[in-house]
Amino acid sequence: MHSVTLKHNFETAHRLPHLGGKCVNLHGHSWHTEITIAASRLTDRHTVVEFGDFKAVMRNWIDVYLDHGVMLGHRDPLLPAFTTARCKVYTFGVDWDGADWPTVEAVAALLADQAGRWLALIDDMPADAHIAHVTVQETATNAADWYPPAPGREPMQGRLPRMAVKDVA
Ligand SMILES: Nc1nc2c(c(=O)[nH]1)N=C([C@H](O)[C@H](O)COP(=O)(O)OP(=O)(O)OP(=O)(O)O)CN2
């Protein structure tokens, strides 16, 4: 198996009112992501994917939708204020239906989902090229990893489990 790993970073605020504690406060992170693409053979150019081709679409999507913006859950009461003020908001549960809240695990799943779409735009790659791993680091001490479902295991049903939110501050 061959693999390549591409990295990008983005400065984005979020909050997680369903977790309580300090996560209730709107706060920013310098998020770092690493996306690994694997294939069983190389192209005629001896690549899995050409770095620049993949990074162009990866960077464009992240910079347009996430960088210097805010990630909120669709049930977050702050949402109307940010949209009214015409701030850049990426709304989990609306802009992407895979999770309700922007935890680091959910951001890793979002980027894995998007990375599959970016890969589909690449012309020159082996037939079995696929997203093998996504890491998202939100702080020096906190990170999440995403891997595709193991063969033979039931794949995730498209979204992270819905969470009961009684008092979203
Ligand atoms: N499983 C998860 N737990 C938490 C998440 C998350 O996304 N997934 N997120 C948070 C908060 O966003 C917060 O930013 C991080 O919390 P925490 O590690 O408690 O705070 P610090 O980064 O300040 O920790 P130090 O290592 O003490 O600096 C919480 N939980």
Side-chain angles (χ1 to χ4, degrees), residues 14 16 19 22-23 27 29 102-105 138-139 141-142:
H14 76 156
L16 302 169
L19 293 187
K22 59 187 174 185
C23 305
H27 60 280
H29 296 294
T103 61
V104 65
E105 293 93 330
E138 67 164 18
T139 70
T141 54
N142 299 344

Side-chain angles (χ1 to χ4, degrees), residues 59-137:
R59 287 174 171 169
N60 181 64
W61 192 92
I62 289 175
D63 292 351
V64 166
Y65 290 101
L66 302 182
D67 188 46
H68 283 77
V70 182
M71 295 183 291
L72 295 176
H74 63 105
R75 284 179 279 166
D76 194 315
L78 290 187
L79 191 53
F82 278 93
T83 49
T84 301
R86 303 178 73 83
C87 289
K88 181 158 123 180
V89 183
Y90 193 86
T91 309
F92 281 64
V94 175
D95 293 316
W96 179 64
D97 196 31
D100 292 328
W101 297 102
T103 61
V104 65
E105 293 93 330
V107 176
L110 163 68
L111 293 180
D113 191 15
Q114 295 301 327
R117 298 167 206 266
W118 307 331
L119 194 59
L121 299 173
I122 304 292
D123 290 331
D124 187 24
M125 63 176 178
D128 69 345
H130 62 279
I131 305 303
H133 180 210
V134 174
T135 295
V136 175
Q137 182 123 24

